[in-house]
Amino acid sequence: MPEKNLYCLILAGGRGTRLWPLSRESLPKQFLSINGDDSLLLGTLKRAARLVVPENIRVVLEEKQLPLIKQSLQSTDFPEKIKVITEPVGRNTAPAILLGTLEIASQDEDAVIMVFPSDHVVGDDENFRDHVRRAVSLAKDDYIVCFGITPSAPETGYGYIEGGEPLHDGGLRIKRFVEKPDAETASEYMLSGNFFWNSGMFVFRARTMIEEYAALCPEVYEPIREASLGEVDRDVYAGLPSVPVDRAVMEKTSCGAVVPSSFPWSDIGSWRLFYEFSPKDSEGNVLEGDVILKGTEDSILKSSSRLVCVSGLRNVAVIETRNAVFVSDLDRSNEAGEFAEKLKGEGREEAIYPTAVHYPWGSREEVQKGGFSRVTKTTVFPGKSARTENTSSQNLRLVVLEGEALIISDKDSDELCPGQTVFLENGENCTLENKGDDVLLILEIFSVKG
């Protein structure tokens, strides 16, 4: 039975630029399935539910991401039990962690909190849970504990933690944090045996962390503490410094500890890291979708919507989506985020919106978008259901193309077969339920009232 005072705080914000064009600002990587059926967020929720009771799980993310988290929670066995905490705008991990910690502490002053990013891949086995138990033990002695991953390669894409004097349960005092090093320095760190990748996962007693925020980062603590007594003001929150918790607290605190960790882990923070963590064929390639190769090796090639043919290349990333394609030397593929930022600065929608979004229940693909109408093709798997997304008081016509649908609105319900339609007015939404054994395919046609 999980401990009563143990909580999980899941950080689910983030803009989703580093794996562009697969992830976008409107659909960050935590909401994507990377190497399996579950999205990274859903995998994190399930992992958390094996450590604490569902009522002790909190998710922090931006207001604008609420529709995405609602879809994700519907794929769990306990959607009503998980509390979602919203930030008016994203201001990095220091404000998000404090906001969640204050909420939990208001309910349980003895809380011990585990903080997990939602967009990491973690080997969820007994080895991982053993590391969690040791971190919790240290946290109960008022240490703020990081999970430090033992390096398997001289990786330059991660920050590092240097361990100091030994503590109980295999922990070490944190001597210092180091920003992403160059290749030569990373090799030295790996050989030393005393440097660890900074995983961004933490465990701490709530009151200990709150005291450290108050002392070390008052510019974040004071406005959020005052706001947490009532509703968080958008302008106040937007005015907070955008600062990671490492810089705000961990680099300054005398309470820092690291648990050297050997469980599988990756933040999938670039296409290179995606490649390293993924299964490969006999030629060293990571393949997904309709891809044909000739004389190509040690590469990652993903196709989302069409045939991709690649010949005579090595160590490349080719990432195809319906409205954008990214091609790069694999060693420079971390520059994908720079393209996303450039496109956003130019007002290009390709930086923000994908044309197709995949969910555990099916998918939505934008077919047409104009000034007065929008058409979306929605796929619902057998036995699954989805909610429509009419957020602007438009009229909505649903046309069943394939399968058997049960359309449940606030006013009525209709069973529809292929070729049949239903019309909803004034922004009304409904549930699309697949009643058959085959895939349900529906057109959602949104139009301006007139």
Side-chain angles (χ1 to χ4, degrees), residues 16-29 31-35 268 271 274 288 300 302-304 319-326 336 350 352-358:
T17 60
R18 291 189 292 173
L19 290 186
W20 184 86
L22 187 63
S23 65
R24 312 288 178 97
E25 187 170 317
S26 67
L27 188 69
K29 68 173 179 176
F31 297 100
L32 300 175
S33 173
I34 299 297
N35 279 324
I268 314 292
W271 286 114
F274 185 107
E288 183 176 316
I300 177 170
K302 293 175 69 70
S303 170
S304 299
I319 314 300
E320 182 275 337
T321 67
R322 189 178 183 91
N323 67 344
V325 179
F326 175 65
E350 292 91 338
I352 300 174
Y353 302 106
T355 58
V357 181
H358 297 272

Side-chain angles (χ1 to χ4, degrees), residues 94 212-213 216-217 220 243-252:
E212 293 301 282
Y213 266 98
L216 303 174
C217 193
V220 170
V243 58
V245 71
D246 295 341
R247 196 184 318 143
V249 176
M250 297 308 300
E251 293 178 3
K252 304 173 185 177

Side-chain angles (χ1 to χ4, degrees), residues 126-296:
E126 184 55 37
N127 184 25
F128 169 70
R129 288 186 283 275
D130 176 64
H131 285 81
V132 169
R133 283 190 288 267
R134 291 194 276 132
V136 169
S137 175
L138 285 160
K140 289 179 178 178
D141 283 341
D142 292 318
Y143 290 104
I144 302 174
V145 187
C146 303
F147 293 89
I149 308 300
T150 302
S152 57
E155 178 58 57
T156 60
Y158 295 139
Y160 284 72
I161 300 170
E162 183 180 7
E165 66 179 88
L167 302 170
H168 63 82
D169 287 285
L172 304 170
R173 282 193 181 274
I174 291 177
K175 190 172 182 179
R176 61 171 172 149
F177 285 79
V178 183
E179 289 299 319
K180 299 173 182 178
D182 58 32
E184 182 179 352
T185 304
S187 296
E188 293 173 0
Y189 288 169
M190 184 177 174
L191 292 173
S192 75
N194 201 40
F195 283 82
F196 310 94
W197 292 338
N198 181 5
S199 71
M201 299 188 291
F202 306 93
V203 184
F204 49 79
R205 194 186 293 273
R207 63 171 176 262
T208 302
M209 191 58 142
I210 291 170
E211 289 169 358
E212 293 301 282
Y213 266 98
L216 303 174
C217 193
E219 65 273 22
V220 170
Y221 172 74
E222 292 295 341
I224 292 184
R225 182 187 64 84
E226 294 178 9
S228 67
L229 300 176
E231 187 173 339
V232 180
D233 182 83
R234 175 177 291 274
D235 292 336
V236 171
Y237 205 89
L240 294 173
S242 180
V243 58
V245 71
D246 295 341
R247 196 184 318 143
V249 176
M250 297 308 300
E251 293 178 3
K252 304 173 185 177
T253 183
S254 60
C255 304
V258 59
V259 173
S261 304
S262 56
F263 51 82
W265 171 89
S266 176
D267 76 346
I268 314 292
S270 68
W271 286 114
R272 160 59 75 182
L273 293 172
F274 185 107
Y275 172 83
E276 296 293 347
F277 206 80
S278 300
K280 303 166 185 65
D281 67 11
S282 60
E283 301 300 320
N285 294 313
V286 175
L287 305 176
E288 183 176 316
D290 194 2
V291 177
I292 298 177
L293 304 181
K294 183 177 180 181
T296 297

